[in-house]
């Protein structure tokens, strides 16, 4: 089905073949997830050129034909022999691969697969729900507020608990930090015991799909004040999400609330990102993304305020979009 | 010093600016490791355009000037105003970024930084040695041959032990597999108790640098026979390494031994790869890489034989190249 939709898009643009190399795109299309390079070509008779060391799993997992990659020139010749002239590539194709194709084909960059992946099927949403459930159960079991170990040990323990609860791993490097370390949105857990506040940004991977949540545990009035603002921004942004609106409008709702309280310049990242097989997918809730929100999208809402040298607060939930946005999972905001 | 060497290379090629976006390249040049996108431009007055959320760590860590990234157009205008016309890019630049620059500059793909990174400084080698020592200590502590848990639990336990011994994490997804799962070079640990043989391919990360080793524990005559062949290939390839030879010549030494025993078509990957800040760097011991081996390179030697449906054997050590190749670490081949 995915391939048929993409072939339709290609036909409209007069594209005869579409080259995929991004592992999760190849996985999305064929069910085979490369562990080394692979060239997947969507065309009337789609084909994957896989590396020799991947042939066993490619033959086992792929729903489309697999050939062993021999040489670059062979692949190009085969495509040319089929009369392929107009070739589409992914925006993420690395230049060194683009270079190999550029003299033999007319090339355009297209996001056909990213576009498909924006709209999740019910089974994809089930996987994201399951990943979220695992991650939130592990978080409760960790009971971080009552632990005396260092940030890095606790981050690792959270991953262990996710795996024990059925995750295949973490969906990104777990952020479990405290004190002034929380003012870095992408902080790295350190070998130091917990200070306040405690910020945890974590996710599980289940059946290939990611979850993503953030909670901040606060301990004094100033921290609570900031949390309340972030919470208002988080809640109102989620409430505002409706199919038909633009993504940037949701970013504006979230950002305006933080601005009103005078912290506009302390909200130093986007309001949210889609997720699925990858932890960061499109569309994004930011000021420049004017993608129209549609049913079936799964996007995070994660406003934050970062006071450099002091502390930061971020709250994040992942929402599945139907007629409205519904939060995935049931973890309370304040713990 | 790195920048000076690169500026020299650029001058020879009449390149006025060199754009870096690969995180480890930016880190190598500036000591700041991006957590989000960053554009590092090597030129007479080098500069990094970092995302707003990274400004705190970029200002803290970077040895070169950092500006906050605002808009794409601003960056291009600033470069053009400096009279930059010939721009070099990394081979790994993604097409969507290449596209932003291609109309305003004459662009060439250059591997100036990869080339520098081929030759490790003594402090880089110390970091790789320390990562290896941590990984090998953890492996001994794991005592995998006497454990009764499942592959995935043991893989996770090995990572825990590496972290307890001082690693910041694993340098790639730990492969700890057994039985027929060993015939996949990039196998994923399963939730099943250990069969024979047991293959472990693992590495630690220390101070940004990677280690990489593989051991296979065999239990019967057939497994031992294959191990002996792989061991001969491993030992003779390491002995053959000398500055002045080509990388492909080492691949040939390793591969020819396995061929002699009739398993040539079962050695389904390259003989080795360089490592450093990344787990896979250049040059590579494979049939096509004619890079001349030089002192200061750090490369793995990892021949393997994979009998589909039965089992596989791989042995891997990382060597530091001086007048000869010296194995990093002291873990015996047979355990």
């Amino acid at each position: 089905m995915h391939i048929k939709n993409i072939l339709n898009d290609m036909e409209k643009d007069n594209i005869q073949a579409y080259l995929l190399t991004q592992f999760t795109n190849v996985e999305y299309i064929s069910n085979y997830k490369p562990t080394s390079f692979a060239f997947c070509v969507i065309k009337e008779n789609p084909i994957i050129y896989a590396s020799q060391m991947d042939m066993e799993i490619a033959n086992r997992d792929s729903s489309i034909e697999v050939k062993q990659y021999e040489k670059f020139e062979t692949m190009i010749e085969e495509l040319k022999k089929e009369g392929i002239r107009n070739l589409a590539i992914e925006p993420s194709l690395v230049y060194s691969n683009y270079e190999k194709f550029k003299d033999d084909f007319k090339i355009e960059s297209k996001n056909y697969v990213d576009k498909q992946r924006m709209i999740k099927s019910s089974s994809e949403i089930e996987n994201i729900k399951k990943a979220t459930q695992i991650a939130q159960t592990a978080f409760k079991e960790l009971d971080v507020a009552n632990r005396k170990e260092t940030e890095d040990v606790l981050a690792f323990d959270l991953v262990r608990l996710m795996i024990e609860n059925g995750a295949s791993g973490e969906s990104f490097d777990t952020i479990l930090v405290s004190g002034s370390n929380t003012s870095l949105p992408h902080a790295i857990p350190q070998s130091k015991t917990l200070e306040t506040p405690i910020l945890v940004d974590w996710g599980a991977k289940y059946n290939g799909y990611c979850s993503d949540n953030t909670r901040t545990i606060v301990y004094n009035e100033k921290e609570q004040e900031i949390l309340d603002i972030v919470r208002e921004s988080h809640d109102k942004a989620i409430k505002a999400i409706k199919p038909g609106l633009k993504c940037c409008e949701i970013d504006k709702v979230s950002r305006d609330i933080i601005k009103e309280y005078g912290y506009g310049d302390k909200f130093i990242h986007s309001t949210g990102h889609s997720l699925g097989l990858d932890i960061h997918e499109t569309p994004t809730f930011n000021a420049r993304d004017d993608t129209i929100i549609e049913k079936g999208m799964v996007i995070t809402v994660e406003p934050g305020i970062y006071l450099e040298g002091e502390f930061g607060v971020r709250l994040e939930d992942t929402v599945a979009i139907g007629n409205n946005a519904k939060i995935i999972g049931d973890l309370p905001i304040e713990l």
Side-chain angles (χ1 to χ4, degrees), chain A:
Chain A
M1 195 194 72
H2 294 151
I3 290 188
K4 217 183 134 199
N5 291 336
I6 290 166
L7 286 171
N8 284 341
D9 282 349
M10 287 164 59
E11 204 181 337
K12 280 178 214 150
D13 293 335
N14 191 28
I15 297 284
Q16 295 142 308
Y18 184 33
L19 175 72
L20 306 177
T21 62
Q22 200 181 304
F23 288 0
T24 47
N25 280 346
V26 178
E27 182 183 11
Y28 183 78
I29 290 297
S30 74
N31 197 44
Y32 148 59
K33 184 172 188 178
T35 77
S36 181
F37 72 91
F39 293 94
C40 172
V41 191
I42 313 269
K43 51 189 175 62
E44 234 182 85
N45 307 300
I47 194 159
I48 293 174
Y49 295 88
S51 74
Q52 190 183 11
M53 65 183 283
D54 260 9
M55 286 304 290
E56 186 177 342
I57 54 164
N59 280 323
R60 185 190 68 195
D61 296 342
S62 176
S63 60
I64 69 178
E65 195 191 336
V66 179
K67 262 193 191 178
Q68 188 174 312
Y69 174 85
E70 301 289 353
K71 280 197 305 190
F72 203 76
E73 295 74 19
T74 320
M75 187 170 66
I76 300 261
E77 276 320 305
E78 289 182 1
L79 296 178
K80 280 166 70 179
K81 236 180 247 167
E82 291 189 44
I84 288 161
R85 187 68 207 104
N86 296 341
L87 179 73
I89 59 170
E90 301 159 295
S92 61
L93 187 74
V94 297
Y95 184 82
S96 55
N97 278 331
Y98 162 70
E99 220 176 5
K100 291 173 183 158
F101 289 91
K102 76 178 169 47
D103 296 332
D104 289 294
F105 303 95
K106 184 169 167 286
I107 292 182
E108 278 181 84
S109 159
K110 294 287 181 185
N111 59 1
Y112 299 132
V113 178
D114 297 337
K115 211 185 85 189
Q116 287 269 320
R117 285 175 59 181
M118 284 184 187
I119 310 300
K120 268 69 181 178
S121 68
S122 56
S123 74
E124 290 185 285
I125 292 173
E126 278 314 305
N127 284 324
I128 296 167
K129 281 185 179 168
K130 181 75 183 158
T132 306
Q133 186 205 315
I134 289 168
Q136 296 191 346
T137 301
F139 182 80
K140 286 178 215 158
E141 288 176 6
L142 181 71
D143 190 19
V144 66
N146 292 307
R147 298 288 291 267
K148 301 283 168 238
E149 293 97 321
T150 55
E151 293 174 4
D152 53 356
V153 167
L154 289 168
F156 192 72
D157 213 36
L158 180 52
V159 181
R160 177 183 64 80
L161 288 165
M162 290 197 285
I163 291 175
E164 284 183 9
N165 278 285
S168 63
E170 56 187 354
S171 55
F172 56 89
D173 289 347
T174 296
I175 301 172
L176 189 157
V177 294
S178 67
S180 62
N181 209 1
T182 55
S183 78
L184 301 171
H186 282 169
I188 295 167
Q190 302 295 319
S191 182
K192 66 176 186 64
T193 51
L194 297 181
E195 300 166 52
T196 78
I198 302 168
L199 186 154
V200 188
D201 188 348
W202 81 108
K205 206 143 192 191
Y206 178 77
N207 212 3
Y209 284 81
C210 299
S211 81
D212 198 354
N213 280 110
T214 306
R215 291 294 182 268
T216 306
I217 308 172
V218 299
Y219 290 86
N220 61 44
E221 229 172 280
K222 177 76 188 283
E223 293 169 7
Q224 183 72 51
E225 182 198 320
I226 299 295
L227 179 76
D228 290 341
I229 300 168
V230 173
R231 183 177 190 154
E232 187 181 335
S233 169
H234 164 278
D235 292 353
K236 290 194 173 156
I238 291 175
K239 214 167 232 171
I241 297 170
K242 297 246 176 322
L245 293 179
K246 289 178 185 168
C247 284
C248 53
E249 295 180 270
I250 305 307
D251 182 77
K252 189 167 165 16
V253 170
S254 174
R255 205 167 295 280
D256 279 353
I257 289 160
I258 289 176
K259 261 187 206 158
E260 271 167 37
Y261 288 96
Y263 292 105
D265 60 332
K266 308 297 181 196
F267 179 11
I268 56 180
H269 54 66
S270 306
T271 297
H273 55 87
S274 297
L275 55 73
L277 290 171
D278 284 307
I279 185 65
H280 290 117
E281 301 189 356
T282 52
T284 302
F285 289 142
N286 70 29
R288 296 167 308 283
D289 195 330
D290 56 8
T291 309
I292 303 289
I293 297 169
E294 289 180 57
K295 284 186 195 179
M297 289 180 172
V298 176
I299 317 185
T300 71
V301 175
E302 50 172 317
I305 294 176
Y306 305 91
L307 307 174
E308 191 174 334
E310 294 184 69
F311 68 91
V313 169
R314 179 167 65 257
L315 293 172
E316 177 179 29
D317 277 297
T318 301
V319 304
I321 299 167
N323 291 325
N324 294 291
K326 202 169 170 316
I327 292 177
I328 294 176
D330 58 5
L331 191 69
I333 290 288
E334 295 199 52
L335 301 140

